[in-house]
Amino acid sequence: MERQKKLYIETYGCQMNVADTEVVFSLLGKYGYERTEDIDEADVIMANTCSVRDNAEQRIHGRIEQFNMHRRRRPGVLVGILGCMAERMKEELLESGKVDIVAGPDSYRSLPYLLQNAGPDSPQINVHLSREETYSDIEPVRIDRNGVSAFISIMRGCNNVCSYCVVPYTRGAERSRDYHSIVREACSCQEQGYKEVTLLGQNVDSYRYEGCGFADLLRLVAESCPGMRIRFSTSNPQDISDEVLEVMASHGNICRHIHLPVQSGSDRILEKMRRRYTREWYLGRVAAIRRYMPDCAISTDVIAGFCSETEEDHRATLSLFEAVGFDAAFMFYYSERPGTLAAKKYADDVPLDVKTRRLEEIIALQNRLSLESNRRDVGKRFTVLVEGPSKRNPEELCGRTGGNKMCVWPDAEHKAGDLVDVEVVDCTQATLLCKLG
Ligand code: SAH
Ligand code: SF4
Ligand code: F3S
């Protein structure tokens, strides 16, 4: 019998890419490719890549060099680039001579064929973007090792054209997946012992399949899997509806956490970013969330130093952070992406030192807000889902609250996957320090 081939994949970028890597393992598993986490024994080395910022791409270029050392040392080893960077750079990647396969996010079904035909002098490419592909029928091979929390893609692509963002170009048009297959996948996760699923899309509120909108889907999943915690990401401020908030508020197993990327606190910048909301609208949505669920955590994404951003615009972002009091934030400085509207229309005119200084100011503010948010939790009790031993201290377990805060506590009784009641006794900016109870 032919030896099973070993497949190694490194995954970069967002949770969508994690979900896609799981699809690739499943698809190629059927063709005799076995997953390995040891690059030295891999017959095929792949990176599932991200293009969202320049430094994400630079990292991958570095990895491609490393992969080539394996390729030179062990003839026959194939190197593949998947994901958003494959889609954005296309032939350019093949022309480097360092890559045997280039496959965009909608072309993974063709990977067996591409692998079969790839060789030293015949690199293979498929970067076709589809209007239909959702990989609905594929049962992903989960790559996280704690076996507690799983990602489920509910849609692909994005129909917004935020001027800074490359995602619509790398992921194509928005399409929603059949809700029957989403519910089936969630139930199957539950049967396999998973305790939490996160429903993924670039803009989950625009999910729609045969009359079923996101609020309906959320209700359907929550009620089909009453024993599981349900999360979702990402909500777009312009689209998040009261109906979704109502469904969250009325289902105890939907986590009280909304990731609501604001990007900027200045209306002038929001308009140039082509975000279709204002500061006032955003604050209104935050107020609505807190009306329905006073205990709901809110996190965000923000970009410092977008084209033409002034100190006044920047201060508007800081004051919005202060006004909302985010529980957590992912913070970036603007990175111009080729082909986007902003790259075509606006000069990337905020100097790098100004961008980094503004970013540092936002980070310093958020660090304080995170600490304040954690201090408010001291003395409270939470049910947390155990992820496993804490990284710092093996006598402690770690796990997250519904609001997505990391807790650690001394515990010799429980294990990954248990739901445990804890009381917060102290905190750092990043962690709630707890005890059982
Ligand atoms: N669909 C999500 C965002 C996906 S990209 C949404 O609409 O919120 C994740 C985050 O990367 C974005 O929220 C944004 O903050 C950041 N980002 C996207 N393009 C960027 C760029 N060109 N420069 C810096 N950050 C960027
Ligand atoms: Fe990018 Fe905007 Fe789509 Fe998010 S909603 S993926 S930021 S274009
Ligand atoms: Fe995700 Fe990066 Fe692509 S954030 S959608 S992997 S560009």
Side-chain angles (χ1 to χ4, degrees):
M1 207 178 83
E2 208 185 322
R3 182 177 79 88
Q4 278 234 319
K5 292 211 162 149
K6 304 262 191 196
L7 169 64
Y8 170 90
I9 308 182
E10 280 179 16
T11 306
Y12 297 85
C14 61
Q15 298 168 331
M16 256 356 196
N17 263 11
V18 175
D20 280 2
T21 293
E22 297 178 335
V23 162
V24 171
F25 275 121
S26 170
L27 277 164
L28 287 177
K30 296 196 175 61
Y31 286 82
Y33 288 90
E34 189 185 20
R35 179 182 175 208
T36 178
E37 290 177 65
D38 178 4
I39 192 168
D40 288 316
E41 64 163 21
D43 300 288
V44 179
I45 300 174
M46 288 180 169
N48 192 0
T49 61
C50 175
S51 282
V52 80
R53 283 170 292 277
D54 185 58
N55 56 13
E57 289 199 348
Q58 292 314 323
R59 243 172 105 199
I60 313 274
H61 284 301
R63 288 307 288 156
I64 293 176
E65 296 300 328
Q66 297 281 314
F67 294 170
N68 268 270
M69 285 174 21
H70 291 269
R71 197 161 162 253
R72 280 195 297 272
R73 221 182 300 138
R74 296 185 289 127
V77 166
L78 295 175
V79 169
I81 298 300
L82 315 179
C84 290
M85 204 170 149
E87 193 63 47
R88 195 185 78 71
M89 298 188 64
K90 305 187 167 64
E91 279 82 7
E92 211 181 316
L93 280 170
L94 285 189
E95 283 155 13
S96 70
K98 292 172 183 156
V99 168
D100 303 293
I101 290 160
V102 172
D106 287 346
S107 70
Y108 299 147
R109 283 183 207 269
S110 71
L111 277 172
Y113 172 86
L114 300 177
L115 279 163
Q116 201 175 19
N117 290 291
D121 300 314
S122 56
Q124 301 288 313
I125 181 165
N126 184 351
V127 286
H128 176 70
L129 283 175
S130 161
R131 291 191 158 275
E132 290 90 33
E133 179 62 272
T134 56
Y135 301 115
S136 250
D137 54 323
I138 294 168
E139 176 85 12
V141 173
R142 310 277 168 204
I143 58 177
D144 79 308
R145 270 171 304 173
N146 64 17
V148 172
S149 187
F151 294 136
I152 301 183
S153 279
I154 63 165
M155 57 210 293
R156 299 182 70 81
C158 182
N159 278 357
N160 291 323
V161 200
C162 304
S163 64
Y164 51 83
C165 183
V166 77
V167 172
Y169 307 93
T170 63
R171 293 254 162 192
E174 181 184 287
R175 62 226 102 117
S176 296
R177 174 177 168 188
D178 182 344
Y179 57 85
H180 296 96
S181 82
I182 297 172
V183 171
R184 251 196 320 273
E185 189 172 331
C187 292
S188 141
C189 287
Q190 188 167 14
E191 281 156 23
Q192 290 166 43
Y194 283 89
K195 297 293 159 53
E196 180 176 272
V197 293
T198 305
L199 308 179
L200 297 178
Q202 294 298 351
N203 181 3
V204 290
D205 299 282
S206 63
Y207 175 89
R208 183 150 290 275
Y209 190 91
E210 288 178 353
C212 172
F214 184 59
D216 307 313
L217 177 72
L218 200 53
R219 184 185 300 112
L220 205 56
V221 175
E223 290 175 6
S224 308
C225 311
M228 281 220 277
R229 297 213 298 196
I230 319 294
R231 296 184 183 280
F232 57 87
S233 187
T234 301
S235 304
N236 198 306
Q238 91 221 350
D239 293 323
I240 187 165
S241 66
D242 281 18
E243 210 187 337
V244 166
L245 302 180
E246 257 167 48
V247 172
M248 286 179 80
S250 58
H251 291 80
N253 60 333
I254 304 177
C255 288
R256 301 281 189 265
H257 173 218
I258 297 180
H259 185 58
L260 198 67
V262 67
Q263 315 299 4
S264 169
S266 152
D267 283 342
R268 193 181 69 83
I269 294 295
L270 285 171
E271 197 182 332
K272 285 187 96 138
M273 287 177 159
R274 287 182 131 234
R275 298 289 283 184
R276 287 175 290 136
Y277 53 86
T278 59
R279 175 189 178 98
E280 191 187 344
W281 172 269
Y282 187 90
L283 292 171
R285 291 287 75 201
V286 168
I289 293 168
R290 292 189 170 145
R291 210 164 42 242
Y292 281 98
M293 294 165 288
D295 58 341
C296 188
I298 302 177
S299 58
T300 201
D301 293 348
V302 68
I303 300 175
F306 184 64
C307 310
S308 86
E309 189 189 70
T310 61
E311 285 304 311
E312 191 187 341
D313 295 319
H314 169 58
R315 279 196 299 276
T317 297
L318 294 173
S319 76
L320 179 124
F321 267 59
E322 197 82 64
V324 177
F326 290 114
D327 298 283
F330 296 98
M331 300 160 278
F332 316 99
Y333 66 72
Y334 174 58
S335 165
E336 185 177 86
R337 307 314 293 134
T340 56
L341 279 175
K344 289 184 198 148
K345 272 176 72 176
Y346 307 126
D348 180 11
D349 54 1
V350 178
L352 186 59
D353 59 332
V354 176
K355 283 182 182 172
T356 47
R357 194 254 305 149
R358 288 181 188 165
L359 177 61
E360 278 161 15
E361 286 175 12
I362 298 172
I363 292 173
L365 170 56
Q366 183 54 44
N367 285 347
R368 172 166 67 73
L369 295 174
S370 299
L371 182 61
E372 283 170 14
S373 158
N374 284 353
R375 283 208 181 119
R376 284 194 294 275
D377 287 340
V378 173
K380 289 190 194 157
R381 301 176 63 183
F382 294 99
T383 302
V384 296
L385 177 57
V386 182
E387 289 179 10
S390 133
K391 280 175 199 81
R392 294 236 177 102
N393 179 351
E395 319 229 304
E396 294 192 330
L397 292 178
C398 70
R400 285 174 193 279
T401 66
N404 212 31
K405 286 187 181 174
M406 183 52 90
C407 298
V408 296
W409 67 98
D411 189 337
E413 294 164 44
H414 298 98
K415 56 178 193 318
D418 288 348
L419 281 167
V420 174
D421 288 327
V422 298
E423 186 184 323
V424 184
V425 288
D426 198 0
C427 69
T428 67
Q429 168 205 310
T431 314
L432 300 179
L433 311 173
C434 307
K435 64 175 188 190
L436 281 172

